[in-house]
Amino acid sequence: MPQVIELQNKAGYQSAWAVIRKLGEFTRQDVIFELSKEFGDNVNADTIKSYIQRLTRGGFVVSAGRKRTNDGHSLYIYKLIKDIGNTAPRLKADGSLSLNGAVNESLWRTMKILGTFNLAELQAAASTDTVQPSADSTREYCEHLRRAGYLRLKRGRYTALTSRYTGPQAPIVTKVDTVYDQNNRKIVYIKPVEVEL
């Protein structure tokens, strides 16, 4: 199960964003060093470089000069100028906002607000000018979260279990129907595999 271990122990954009917010002014190496304290060797330098480039193009960070290292290398210094809070901005390569994952984030946030709901109520309440969950995506996401223990279903109504609310970031449903909680970085549900004997 190598993919599960990688999801749980690999530094990604959310972790990098948390470090960038903490440092305020930083080099790429500073971010990698801070991340390696928690993730060890599971920090991909190219991932960090790409994310800093996206943040720069999106106007979240600016170049603040260079500094020389003891071995004569020159490192770019960046400064965070647009802090939007705990949730890392999801950005395309050109720095524009990506709506990838926005539907589930809207559904997750709305579930907490409503507490108890049916699918039509959730779909309507989670719809905004930029995000419109379909009936299918609403149903599929709720069913994944029910199987993972975040929701209870009774007589066509779902209840969001407050004891399972781990934070503001929406659980991710992977392509193999695994549910990954971004808040505590844990796999919370793995779809059972049927094997014929």
Side-chain angles (χ1 to χ4, degrees):
M1 228 180 330
Q3 296 130 326
V4 172
I5 293 168
E6 181 176 292
L7 274 173
Q8 289 180 291
N9 298 321
K10 193 165 188 176
Y13 292 162
Q14 185 61 46
S15 303
W17 176 249
V19 168
I20 288 168
R21 291 185 74 218
K22 180 177 113 179
L23 296 175
E25 192 169 289
F26 58 92
T27 66
R28 185 178 58 177
Q29 286 70 14
D30 293 335
V31 175
I32 292 169
F33 175 76
E34 289 296 319
L35 289 171
S36 68
K37 291 178 184 177
E38 181 178 353
F39 296 96
D41 293 335
N42 289 325
V43 180
N44 185 311
D46 290 335
T47 298
I48 304 309
K49 177 182 178 182
S50 170
Y51 193 53
I52 292 172
Q53 287 172 338
R54 291 167 191 236
L55 289 171
T56 303
R57 292 173 186 144
F60 293 88
V61 303
V62 293
S63 179
R66 293 181 179 202
K67 75 175 183 180
R68 289 231 172 257
T69 62
N70 293 337
D71 58 3
H73 288 92
S74 179
L75 302 177
Y76 285 102
I77 301 168
Y78 299 93
K79 184 174 183 178
L80 177 63
I81 60 165
K82 185 177 173 185
D83 186 346
I84 60 165
N86 290 329
T87 303
R90 284 198 172 106
L91 304 170
K92 297 178 186 174
D94 66 0
S96 62
L97 289 175
S98 169
L99 292 179
N100 189 18
V103 167
N104 289 353
E105 286 175 5
S106 184
L107 290 169
W108 175 249
R109 188 172 45 250
T110 306
M111 287 173 192
K112 183 174 187 301
I113 294 166
L114 295 178
T116 301
F117 50 86
N118 65 29
L119 293 174
E121 291 167 349
L122 177 63
Q123 180 186 359
S127 295
T128 67
D129 291 341
T130 54
V131 176
Q132 288 89 32
S134 69
D136 285 343
S137 62
T138 302
R139 179 184 44 76
E140 288 170 14
Y141 194 58
C142 285
E143 276 305 296
H144 279 100
L145 294 191
R146 183 190 62 75
R147 287 193 288 269
Y150 292 97
L151 300 176
R152 185 175 59 237
L153 176 62
K154 191 173 182 181
R155 296 190 190 109
R157 295 190 68 77
Y158 290 89
T159 299
L161 303 176
T162 54
S163 62
R164 289 301 311 271
Y165 182 77
T166 56
Q169 296 179 70
I172 295 172
V173 179
T174 69
K175 291 178 182 174
V176 292
D177 290 333
T178 296
V179 179
Y180 172 71
D181 191 315
Q182 299 181 83
N183 299 293
N184 57 21
R185 293 198 302 269
K186 289 184 178 177
I187 299 292
V188 293
Y189 174 79
I190 298 173
K191 181 180 179 181
V193 178
E194 293 182 16
V195 179
E196 285 188 32
L197 298 176

